[in-house]
Each structure stands twice: as C-alpha cells, then as structure tokens.
Amino acid sequence: MAVIQPIVNLVDIFVQHGLTHAVICPGSRSAALTLALARNEAVTTIVSIDERSAGFIALGLALGLGRPVAVVCTSGTAAYNFAPAVAEACFQHIPLLVLTADRPKEWVHQQDGQTIYQAELFGKNVKKAFELPCDTAHPDIRWYANRIANDVFLSANTFPKGPVHLNVPVREPFYPSAGDIWMPDPRNRLIGRLGSYHNLPVESWHMLQDEWEETDRILIAGGQGMFSEETCDPLARITEEWEIPVLGDITANLGNHPDFISMQDAFLHNDVPQPALRPDLLVTFGESFLSKRFKNFIRKNPPRRHWHIGPGTHLVDSFQSLTLRIPVDPGFFFRKMLEDIDYKRFLEQNEATNDSFKQEWLKEEYLAARIVSEQINKNLTSLDDLTCIGSLVSALPEDVFLHLGNSMPVRHANLLRRLGLRQNVWANRGTSGIDGCVSTAIGNALATSKPVCLIVGDVSFLYDRNGFLLEQFPQNLKIVVLNNGGGNIFRLIDGPRNQPELGRFFETRHSFTARATAADAGIAYDEIRQPAELEKTIGKFVASEGPALLEIFTDPEENRKVSEQIRSAFERSGS
Amino acid sequence: MAVIQPIVNLVDIFVQHGLTHAVICPGSRSAALTLALARNEAVTTIVSIDERSAGFIALGLALGLGRPVAVVCTSGTAAYNFAPAVAEACFQHIPLLVLTADRPKEWVHQQDGQTIYQAELFGKNVKKAFELPCDTAHPDIRWYANRIANDVFLSANTFPKGPVHLNVPVREPFYPSAGDIWMPDPRNRLIGRLGSYHNLPVESWHMLQDEWEETDRILIAGGQGMFSEETCDPLARITEEWEIPVLGDITANLGNHPDFISMQDAFLHNDVPQPALRPDLLVTFGESFLSKRFKNFIRKNPPRRHWHIGPGTHLVDSFQSLTLRIPVDPGFFFRKMLEDIDYKRFLEQNEATNDSFKQEWLKEEYLAARIVSEQINKNLTSLDDLTCIGSLVSALPEDVFLHLGNSMPVRHANLLRRLGLRQNVWANRGTSGIDGCVSTAIGNALATSKPVCLIVGDVSFLYDRNGFLLEQFPQNLKIVVLNNGGGNIFRLIDGPRNQPELGRFFETRHSFTARATAADAGIAYDEIRQPAELEKTIGKFVASEGPALLEIFTDPEENRKVSEQIRSAFERSGS
C-alpha cells in the first residue's frame, strides 16, 4: 500500500482541481500512476502505446477541454518521446500534466533497466518541472508531496498555461496486493487559486486613449488563438464603427466578419513598397502569426508605435517594432477602448484617414480573394492541393473543428479563409512541427462530440501515423491526406527547387499511401485520383457516418504550377 | 556562399577524420548541412523522414561500422525526436555526430517558425554538446569553428565513445546560388589524436595477481559488449586452464566456448540460497547485465571483493558489491593475468576448489539447458514465443547479426543461447527502450553486406514501424515479428497479471498486424498461425533472397503457460 498511497493522493488532488482526462502509455514502473488514474471514476482514460503520439493526443484533448490533461509514461526514453508534444504545448500555452515514472535517483546511470537522466528532462521547453519525493517516511514529506500536487496542477492551469513535468521516482513493488485499500488520505488538502484579471491604472488608460485618438492609421492584427466573442465582437465593432482594419490569419479564429482582413499573405509584397498600407500604430495580440509576408512587411515598414496586448511576461518582438506591452486581456482592452473613447469625436477627427486606410486594406483583400478564387475555378480540372482544400472547406459543416497540418495545408487554407469563413481552426504553430498533427486532431476529437476534420500532407501523416494505434478511433474524426508523394513545399520555394538534390533530400519523394494504415485501424478509406471525382467523392466523404480517411493524390508539378500562376497573377494585378 | 562555407569546412574535417555515413532528415534550415554531406563523395547518405527512426538508423550504422555516423535534422521539435536514440547511444557509448540546424539565438522564443530551446537540448543524456558560431566575420571565429569541428568528431570517437550534439544556427539564405564554389577552405586544419591504452604500475599488477592467486572461488562475468577474440580467447583459456567459471548473457557476445555459462537467468533463484555458487572474487567487465536473477544473486550474496575491469570513469555499482576499479581494457587484463601468473602454482593451490566451483556452475548450466530444451520439445505443438525463437535461432545462418527486441525476445533468446551459440547479438540495453529496435536493425544492415535478422515483439514493431519509411530497404535484413497481440511481458509478471487492468492498460491488447506495413514498404511477408507451419515456413523465410518479414502469431496464454512450466520445472529440479 505504501507505494501506491502517495500516487493516489496525487491523483485525488488533480481530480479535486478538475482533472477529467488522462492518456496512459503502458509500463510497469508507472503502474501506480496508471492504476490510480484508471481506478478514479472521475477520470476518463485513453491508452496509446507510442508516447510521442500520446503526448500530442493529450495536447489535442487539453486544447479541446481548455483544462489540464494528464499523460503518463514509464521510465527511460519513453519520457523523451513526450518531448515534441511538451515543447509544442509550452510554446502554445496548453496545460498538460506530464507524469513520468522514474527509478529512484540512486539507480540512475547504473546500467540497470530503463533509466536515463529524467529530472529536468525538458529543459527550457516546459513551463515548470517538479519531482515527487520517493521516500515518504518523514511527515514533512507528506506536506511536501501535497504541496507539489497542488503546485503541478496550478502551474499548468494558471496563465500563461503550459505543460508541467512531474517526475515520479518509484521503488518496487509497483503493484498493489489484493487487500490494499484505495482511499485518498483524508488529510489531502486542496490549495485553490482564484481567477484574476489584469487591469491598468486609469492614467495609463487615458494615455493609451489619447495616443489612439491622435493616431491616423491604426492597424489591429491578431496572432494564433481560440478567441471567444468577448474578443471578436468588440473587434467587429471597431472595424465597423471606427473603420480600423483588423487582420488575422486563419489560425487567429477572429470569426466571420466580412471586413476582417485575411489575404495578407497573398497581397503583401516582399519587394514592392506598399506605402498606402503602412500603419502608424500597430496593435497586436495573440500568439504566432502565420503570414511571413505580413511579418516582413511590418519589419520593413516599422510603425511609429507597436502595442502588444496580453498579460504574458515573455518578451516577443517578432515584428521588430514593439514599443509598448499592455498587459491586459485583449478582449478587455478592445471593449474598454470602445466604451471609453468618445467615438464621435474620434470619428470626426479621423474618419477621412481611417476610412481610407481601412479601404486600402480592404481593396487589396477583395482583389486578392478574387484572384485566388478565379485561379481555383480555372484549375477545377487539375488535382492540386489548393483546389482540393478549396473544395473541402466549402463542403465541411459549419461547426467542424478544423485541424490543418504544417507546412502547406495551413498556408493553403489561409489563402482560402474567405471561401469558408469559420471559427475553430487549429495548427500546431507553437513549434510548427509535423510530428504530431494526426495525434493532436485525434485528441481534440476525443474531447468533443462535434465533428473534427484534419487536412494533412502525406509526410506529416506518415510521420505521425502511430496516433492510429488506439483502442478506439474517435467516431467524429475525418482525415484528408493530400498525397503529393513527398514534402511538396520544397518544390514551391526557390532555394531547394533549384538544387539537384530536390527530389531525394528535400521533397523525399516516396510512393507510400495512407490506405493500409487506415485499413489496419478499421477506418473507412476512399481516394481521389481524378479531378472529375473531386466534388462527388468529397460530398460522400463529408456526409458519411463515423470516422473516415480520404486520400487525394495531387500532382507536385500541378502544385508548383498553381503556386506560380497565383504569384504571377498577383504580379500582373500590380497588387 | 558565406552561409555554406563554414558547413563545407565542418563536413570536410569530419570526412578527414573518417566520416563515411550520414542519415539525413528533410528540412530547409538544415539545407547547408544536407548539401555539404550529399555533395561530399566520401559520404554515403541515407534519407529518413522521421527523425526518431533516423536517430536509431544512425545508431545501428555506427554500431556496425564502429565509428561515428552523422545524423542531420532541421530546427524545432525535429531535434527532440532524436532524443531517444541519443540517450541510447549515450548509455551504450556509440559514437554519433548529432547535427541539428537551428535559428540564430536572437530568434528563439519569438513565435517565429520551427524554434525551441535547442542549445543543450539533450541535457545529461549526451556525451558533449557544442554550438557552431553563426557569425563568422571575425578571424578568431574561423579558428573556433575549425576547433569545434575537430572536437565534435574526436569527442564522439574517443573512449568512452558517445553521441555528441552540434547545434548549428543558420541565417538565411539557406541555399547556394548557381555560381557558388564548393571547396573546403585550404586552411582547414585536422587535429588528430593518437590511440592510447591504459596500463597499471607493476606493483598494482603484482597486488592483483597475489589476490587472484590467493582466492579460491573466482567468478568472471561479462556485461553487454561486442568483444573480439582479444577478449574472448584469454577467457576461454582461463576457464579451461584455471577452471574459473566465465559467465555472460547472450548480449555479452563472449563467443562459442561450451564451458561459458549463460543460463544464469534460469537457474539462479531469488529466494532459494545457493551457497555453492557464491564467489569470493567477482570480476566483471562490459556494459549492462541482462540477467536480473544474476544481479539479485550477487546483491544478496556479495563477494568479499568485486573488481570491475574497464577504463571508464563513471562509477557503476549495479551489483552493490564493487570494491575495486581496474581501469584497463578487459582483454588486456585477462591476457596479462594469463601471461604473468605462474599458473602451475596457481593450479596446485586452487585446483580442487576452483575445479569444483566451476563444476557447480556448469552442473546448473547443463541442467538448466536440458530443462529448457525438454520444455521446447514438449511444446513443439504450440505456438509460443520461446519455442518460435528456438526454431529461429537454430535455423539462422552462422554469420547473421542478430538483433533482439526488448523486452521478451532478448530474454527468451538469452535462455536459448546454448541452442544456437553465436557472436554478434545486439539489443538496445543502454536504456532498454522499445522505441528504436526496428530502426537500429535497419541501420546495422545498411552498414554491412552480411545477413542481419531482427526478432521483435508486436508492440516494439508497431512503435518503430516508421523505420520502414526509407528510400530503399536493406536487402540483407530479415525481420520476425512475434505477434502476441500486446505487451505480453505483463502477463508473465505477477504484479500486473493480478490486476483487473491487465489487458487494457498493461498488455494493451490490440489486433494490429505487420502485414500492411511490410506491403507498403514492398517487403515480402509471410505469416505463421499454426504450429505445424513453423519449421517449413521458417526454413523458407531464412532461405529466401532479399528482405522479408515473417509474422508469427503466438498465443499470450500459451506464453504464460510455457513461462509457468519452465518456472515449475526449475522448482521441481531443486535447482
């Protein structure tokens, strides 16, 4: 009983804090963690044999649930396989409780079993790291273990949320005996933490409002995030009433307002000056920006002032123009500005300029949308990634949670945002890896009963196919694999395209398909090899019941051609 | 040209030091590394899209070649996917040059692209870590970069060998232009390092020889290693001429001498005292020991003295009995003892005792071998893992390099060593993970033209199936998957077997097979589902040309039964 008791207490504290889901990887050293979670009725468990996938499944679950999810593994390199998901969660501020069983310290590096240096395993790529004490004889240790349990959960779940590593050294025996009692210690003490919000002194608000009112050309830009109406509604009013352009990639999830700008990655140029679009004040919020062209545009045309809204403390200056951090919630900030600024006065002063500034951005937006849309219509007889994603996003139901693989799917979908405006779009853009796209979508689907769809390239799909090694595949998940036989992005970039090593070392051309992987997991599979099949097969796929995988074989040369066509269409348009 | 030149110099130094193989994962940030390796005629390149597999393929190559192999990836979590192989290489002392492209420091944690904290990524689980300077304007930096290139290779390749991480921050542009010249800088300077060996002062040799001669019951035990005749021949003479028992697991590769003891994991008991087998002096060498019973036997019966032979400096005391480190090469040590000790005198003094001590061990060895062999013959009508491995090791060619998966295959094969005595047996026992068994065997096969065979369980196979995502599968590799539908080891251990959660959380029962994975990679596949098919199908499989995968569906309950039968046979024998 002694071995299990501290772990039962740990899980009890987690559950009292609100833990509901755990992803468990098989192992013996981790048996107490597994059993304490499996035998707690409040916890739904998912079993995955590959820790790399398990990490991303937990990430997808936490993304969907909005609260910490536990993920458990045994000792040794198993824990290292969590690292890609831990890093992604860290840079995306997704709360995970990363529970790794370990040998006690005296057994590390003693050539005995599954043992590596596990303490502090994730270095700076994790929010915090703790270690549970192994010997619990002294009463202070019970206090310490109770405190750690609370700290692990609170650290993961407090802004900025993130993955927290708890290393759990365990001595044998690992398993309880038949007569063992499974009860949390009644002295287990929950330490709560009230929610709080950041505000600014009234003088700061006045200062900001004065600067805002004095500025002619304000541009608001949102980075990645799952923003609620609390943020999107005031932004819609700001762009409508104050004629201030509001911009966001597809991953910013700013909602469906038709005036929101999202074609910036198409219409901004790296080499042509676009002075009409230069802001005097840039106001950003959210996480990473997908549009490289937008970042380059701002870097080359730094605004006089750049405010970043958000209470985080890590100094990010990816636009190389930041002048002021405003540590409050973005939705609160925009609502406060709307409420406090005498907007009639604001309009009188700024209407002419702001109006024309927003119109400059919107003009480019509409033109770009037309070019892309014409391009797609022109290509309906070819199987290229962009056209296929276009057909897909138009066909998907409104309430779908859409996952997009790095690197091309998210870029293509971004170009097509106006075709199928929607909320709830996700890509692993914290570290932009291809190593967990499939498992993240699986985890997300396990967290909801709504439909989830993943659009992913062949390399990302193959990389993370072990996400399929699940007991039960989520019934609400549909996957589209765009198989262009390699890492097609390299063919679209000048640098690698011009190297003789393109095919072997960059694209890594291959002839693997997703068919067998789907069949092995008992998932309905269909494929498209001809443009004529596109519409009908997508329709059937979207309408089908249960999980399904659709593989569309697109032509890498067609993809290159479409990318060229769009590029030259934009050049011709002078945009 | 500026971007590529320092990398060309780096690769040039590596090649001058003897680099011949590199495993390359696709990426853009890593383009200069990829191109410098791909365009160097001395380097054979292998491309793998999954960095986790790539790391283990490099490990297998380095194991086969006996010298450092480079492995390259782009920035971000890609680098973290190398971690399991890096840890295994670190604890096994296998030399790897782990080359990870990175963003320059100023871009870390700036929400821009594939970026994590990469410097010192592998913590204490790597031999050394370096970072190449990103800005090379100052002449001192050229000196520094040249020194680092030498240091990386020398550190990896100097005893104790190991993985060395070189983080390579790279600024754009990543790709050379058409006119760029690709020549190593003529000022590139190779820093060599002579081989050396450890010796002891003559007084120390005398002291050791005196103690050796005075001791009645000496036991020599070898841990994991690929020992040459230089070590095995003197050991054979020592056991023949001095009647000293020499013991080693199958992973010790001590060679084919019939007197070498290897059944210790069967005949040693955890609870029955075996005083006749207690040594007064234990002499160990090599890396980890597979036999848990042997470790427990020594821990419970610590010898008066325990010498460990080997020049390593890390203090390993896994038997909890170590009294003296003797920092010389084991082969040198045993030859020196043979040469220097007046062995006639030694025999006169010790023959009676030593002879009976060796006979005590051999008696147990022969009895154990008979029990196991009878057990297998009895079970020829059932499909269990042990019987299948028995049939396999008997059928495999003499010169095969045999890879054994953790956790059961290596344990079963260990029981069967006497059935098919052979050299060149490998298992990833540095950290005993299941995450790279397939890829390690693939890498090893790529390093040789001799036959390579992997025997692996279903969970390990599925875990590492991405090793199959290669351009060309090695023609000399055969794989046997023992598919018992889960992690069968858990059914064989008392702890998990008695939990109601056995099937779901520990064994993780599943119905996946290897068939589709083999077909996808174009590898011949055969299966065995009936005991009657065993001999013929194995014969066909072993005799077949080219790569092949044989999947044997064994029965988890049969496996449990056989394990019980052997256990009780040993109990009945009173051994």
Side-chain angles (χ1 to χ4, degrees), chain B residues 355-367:
Chain B
D355 184 37
S356 77
F357 186 54
K358 178 181 164 188
Q359 291 312 320
E360 289 289 345
W361 278 89
L362 267 186
K363 196 180 76 189
E364 299 288 352
E365 173 82 2
Y366 291 144
L367 182 61

Side-chain angles (χ1 to χ4, degrees), chain B residues 179-191:
Chain B
D180 287 353
I181 299 162
W182 284 82
M183 295 280 288
D185 190 325
R187 290 164 299 183
N188 239 6
R189 174 165 46 91
L190 186 80
I191 304 175

Side-chain angles (χ1 to χ4, degrees), chain A residues 51 112 295 463 471 504, chain B residues 51 112 295 463 471 504:
Chain A
E51 283 87 7
D112 203 61
K295 286 189 279 195
Y463 202 113
E471 298 162 286
R504 179 160 182 248
Chain B
E51 283 86 7
D112 203 59
K295 285 189 280 196
Y463 202 113
E471 297 163 285
R504 179 160 183 247

Side-chain angles (χ1 to χ4, degrees), chain B residues 210-510:
Chain B
D210 288 347
E211 293 202 19
W212 182 283
E213 288 179 284
E214 283 163 15
T215 305
D216 286 340
R217 298 145 68 94
I218 301 175
L219 173 66
I220 297 173
Q224 183 164 14
M226 305 294 298
F227 298 105
S228 70
E229 292 165 359
E230 301 281 289
T231 304
C232 300
D233 289 353
L235 285 173
R237 279 186 57 203
I238 285 175
T239 199
E240 278 173 28
E241 298 175 16
W242 294 353
E243 300 283 354
I244 289 175
V246 173
L247 168 155
D249 298 309
I250 191 169
T251 47
N253 290 302
L254 295 185
N256 298 339
H257 198 289
D259 285 2
F260 286 167
I261 309 289
S262 61
M263 304 294 295
Q264 59 278 0
D265 212 40
F267 66 73
L268 290 174
H269 289 285
N270 287 335
D271 28 22
V272 184
Q274 291 164 295
L277 303 179
R278 281 186 63 165
D280 288 330
L281 168 62
L282 172 66
V283 181
T284 58
F285 63 98
E287 303 288 322
S288 70
F289 284 76
L290 184 61
S291 167
K292 201 166 178 178
R293 290 187 179 208
F294 178 58
K295 285 189 280 196
N296 282 335
F297 173 75
I298 298 292
R299 288 168 193 160
K300 286 193 180 167
N301 301 283
R304 218 156 30 89
R305 280 165 299 169
H306 170 190
W307 300 349
H308 184 75
I309 320 294
T313 55
H314 182 78
L315 193 60
V316 174
D317 180 29
S318 52
F319 290 98
Q320 302 181 323
S321 64
L322 189 65
T323 54
L324 188 66
R325 297 285 303 264
I326 302 175
V328 298
D329 172 75
F332 174 66
F333 173 84
F334 294 119
R335 282 197 312 279
K336 179 90 177 149
M337 294 307 261
L338 271 170
E339 282 163 17
D340 289 1
I341 291 184
D342 178 352
Y343 80 90
K344 278 197 192 128
R345 185 163 57 88
F346 178 80
L347 277 190
E348 283 158 22
Q349 286 182 348
N350 297 286
E351 196 168 11
T353 328
N354 256 343
D355 184 37
S356 77
F357 186 54
K358 178 181 164 188
Q359 291 312 320
E360 289 289 345
W361 278 89
L362 267 186
K363 196 180 76 189
E364 299 288 352
E365 173 82 2
Y366 291 144
L367 182 61
R370 211 186 60 220
I371 291 174
V372 170
S373 162
E374 282 172 4
Q375 201 58 43
I376 287 185
N377 289 332
K378 204 191 298 176
N379 290 320
L380 279 180
T381 54
S382 94
L383 269 189
D384 66 87
D385 290 347
L386 186 71
T387 309
C388 293
I389 295 178
S391 303
L392 274 163
V393 293
S394 311
L396 286 170
E398 275 241 340
D399 61 340
V400 76
F401 198 120
L402 182 61
H403 283 253
L404 296 164
N406 296 313
S407 51
M408 285 319 290
V410 68
R411 302 198 169 277
H412 283 317
N414 195 37
L415 270 189
L416 297 164
R417 199 194 71 94
R418 296 195 81 86
L419 286 188
L421 292 174
R422 63 183 76 250
Q423 205 67 324
N424 298 328
V425 175
W426 184 260
N428 282 343
R429 301 297 298 176
T431 64
S432 302
I434 61 165
D435 37 9
C437 305
V438 176
S439 299
T440 303
I442 289 174
N444 192 196
L446 290 168
T448 176
S449 54
K450 290 193 177 165
V452 176
C453 180
L454 165 69
I455 304 177
V456 70
D458 48 286
V459 178
S460 302
F461 175 78
L462 291 167
Y463 202 113
D464 190 23
R465 59 180 171 164
N466 276 3
F468 278 40
L469 300 176
L470 270 189
E471 297 163 285
Q472 194 174 7
F473 201 83
Q475 296 298 300
N476 52 338
L477 176 60
K478 291 195 158 56
I479 295 179
V480 180
V481 179
L482 295 168
N483 191 336
N484 46 46
N488 206 190
I489 189 170
F490 293 105
R491 186 169 293 251
L492 312 182
I493 313 175
D494 281 339
R497 181 171 58 216
N498 298 327
Q499 309 300 323
E501 291 85 355
L502 169 66
R504 179 160 183 247
F505 289 100
F506 296 101
E507 282 196 298
T508 54
R509 303 224 49 80
H510 67 81

Side-chain angles (χ1 to χ4, degrees), chain A residues 39 45 50-52 77 81 110 112 114 295 317 432 435 463 465-466 471 499 501 504, chain B residues 39 45 50-52 77 81 110 112 114 117 295 317 432 435 463 465-466 471 499 501 504:
Chain A
R39 294 182 185 179
T45 50
D50 184 334
E51 283 87 7
R52 183 170 70 192
T77 52
N81 281 287
Q110 289 300 299
D112 203 61
Q114 294 177 326
K295 286 189 279 195
D317 181 29
S432 302
D435 37 9
Y463 202 113
R465 59 180 171 164
N466 276 3
E471 298 162 286
Q499 310 299 324
E501 290 86 354
R504 179 160 182 248
Chain B
R39 293 182 184 179
T45 50
D50 183 334
E51 283 86 7
R52 182 170 71 190
T77 52
N81 281 286
Q110 290 300 301
D112 203 59
Q114 294 177 326
Y117 287 99
K295 285 189 280 196
D317 180 29
S432 302
D435 37 9
Y463 202 113
R465 59 180 171 164
N466 276 3
E471 297 163 285
Q499 309 300 323
E501 291 85 355
R504 179 160 183 247

Side-chain angles (χ1 to χ4, degrees), chain A residues 24 26-28 31 34-35 38-39 45-47 49-52 77-78 80-81 83-84 87 91 107 109-117 121-122 124-125 172 175-176 286-288 292 295 299 314-318 320 430-433 435 459 462-463 465-466 468-471 490 495-496 499-501 504-506 508 512-513 516-517 520-521, chain B residues 24 26-28 31 34-35 38-39 45-47 49-52 77-78 80-81 83-84 87 91 107 109-117 121-122 124-125 172 175-176 286-288 292 295 299 314-318 320 430-433 435 459 462-463 465-466 468-471 490 495-496 499-501 504-506 508 512-513 516-517 520-521:
Chain A
I24 290 175
S28 218
T34 298
L35 295 177
R39 294 182 185 179
T45 50
I46 293 102
V47 181
I49 66 161
D50 184 334
E51 283 87 7
R52 183 170 70 192
T77 52
Y80 249 149
N81 281 287
F91 291 101
W107 281 104
H109 206 152
Q110 289 300 299
Q111 296 180 340
D112 203 61
Q114 294 177 326
T115 316
I116 65 173
Y117 287 100
L121 193 70
F122 305 109
K124 292 165 94 171
N125 297 301
E172 299 194 49
Y175 297 88
E287 304 287 323
S288 71
K292 202 166 177 178
K295 286 189 279 195
R299 286 167 195 160
H314 182 77
L315 192 60
V316 174
D317 181 29
S318 54
Q320 303 182 322
T431 65
S432 302
D435 37 9
V459 178
L462 291 167
Y463 202 113
R465 59 180 171 164
N466 276 3
F468 277 40
L469 300 175
L470 270 189
E471 298 162 286
F490 293 105
Q499 310 299 324
E501 290 86 354
R504 179 160 182 248
F505 289 100
F506 296 100
T508 54
F512 289 96
T513 79
T517 306
D520 272 351
Chain B
I24 290 175
S28 219
T34 297
L35 294 177
R39 293 182 184 179
T45 50
I46 293 101
V47 180
I49 65 162
D50 183 334
E51 283 86 7
R52 182 170 71 190
T77 52
Y80 249 148
N81 281 286
F91 290 101
W107 282 103
H109 207 151
Q110 290 300 301
Q111 295 180 341
D112 203 59
Q114 294 177 326
T115 315
I116 64 173
Y117 287 99
L121 192 70
F122 305 109
K124 291 166 94 172
N125 297 300
E172 298 195 50
Y175 296 89
E287 303 288 322
S288 70
K292 201 166 178 178
K295 285 189 280 196
R299 288 168 193 160
H314 182 78
L315 193 60
V316 174
D317 180 29
S318 52
Q320 302 181 323
T431 64
S432 302
D435 37 9
V459 178
L462 291 167
Y463 202 113
R465 59 180 171 164
N466 276 3
F468 278 40
L469 300 176
L470 270 189
E471 297 163 285
F490 293 105
Q499 309 300 323
E501 291 85 355
R504 179 160 183 247
F505 289 100
F506 296 101
T508 54
F512 289 96
T513 79
T517 306
D520 273 350

Side-chain angles (χ1 to χ4, degrees), chain A residues 6 50 65 101 129 162 171 175 195 260 262 276 303 315 318 325 337 375-376 437 473 502 507 516 523 529 546 574:
Chain A
D50 184 334
L65 297 168
R171 290 219 173 78
Y175 297 88
F260 286 166
S262 61
L315 192 60
S318 54
R325 297 284 303 265
M337 293 307 258
Q375 202 58 43
I376 288 185
C437 305
F473 201 84
L502 169 65
E507 282 195 297
I523 294 162
R529 291 185 182 268

